Amino acid sequence: MLCSLLGTPHWPKVKGGLLFLEDVNEHPYRVERMLLQLHQAGVLHAQKAVLIGRISDYKPSPLDRGYTIKAMLAHLRSVCATPVLTGLPFGHVPTKVTMPFGRKVQLVVEGRDAFVGW
């Protein structure tokens, strides 16, 4: 849904924010395509960090040729200077954190741990 807003008057112009994303039933190469579109449009560069929740419920296919979410994230991190944080419990998962839309938040990163407060 987010990528469909690019180039329209409905695109939210947020600079210095935390962009959090999740998806359901999308193969890793499709998620990569959408994230690279956001990257190439300058959206990811404008953020302090990108927080990725669960990308779930896709069924691996022989056409994926073993390309995984982990490989997709490694590629994204190799081309994008903005920190990409993963493993956050939001999205289409049974137990989740409610993320604050439109609120000022604080992100603290200590080593491999990240804390989001609001």
Side-chain angles (χ1 to χ4, degrees):
M1 292 301 301
L2 187 63
C3 285
S4 67
L5 296 176
L6 273 174
T8 73
H10 308 291
W11 177 255
K13 292 173 182 67
V14 177
K15 291 186 182 189
L18 298 180
L19 176 62
F20 47 95
L21 304 166
E22 57 83 27
D23 215 327
V24 64
N25 203 24
E26 290 290 351
H27 289 260
Y29 75 91
R30 290 180 183 164
V31 176
E32 179 189 61
R33 179 177 54 214
M34 291 181 274
L35 287 170
L36 289 177
Q37 182 178 6
L38 292 171
H39 168 64
Q40 292 168 358
V43 173
L44 302 186
H45 178 71
Q47 307 310 308
K48 287 193 186 240
V50 178
L51 285 61
I52 298 187
R54 185 74 185 264
I55 299 172
S56 61
D57 294 338
Y58 69 91
K59 293 179 179 41
S61 159
L63 297 175
D64 294 335
R65 297 181 184 199
Y67 193 63
T68 64
I69 295 294
K70 185 176 180 178
M72 178 273 300
L73 289 168
H75 177 66
L76 178 66
R77 287 180 174 124
S78 76
V79 298
C80 180
T82 303
V84 177
L85 308 173
T86 59
L88 297 142
F90 68 88
H92 291 81
V93 293
T95 304
K96 63 186 113 238
V97 171
T98 301
M99 300 301 284
F101 280 91
R103 300 242 356 229
K104 290 198 182 249
V105 300
Q106 183 177 25
L107 173 67
V108 177
V109 178
E110 293 179 3
R112 294 184 51 87
D113 294 325
F115 303 93
V116 179
W118 61 92

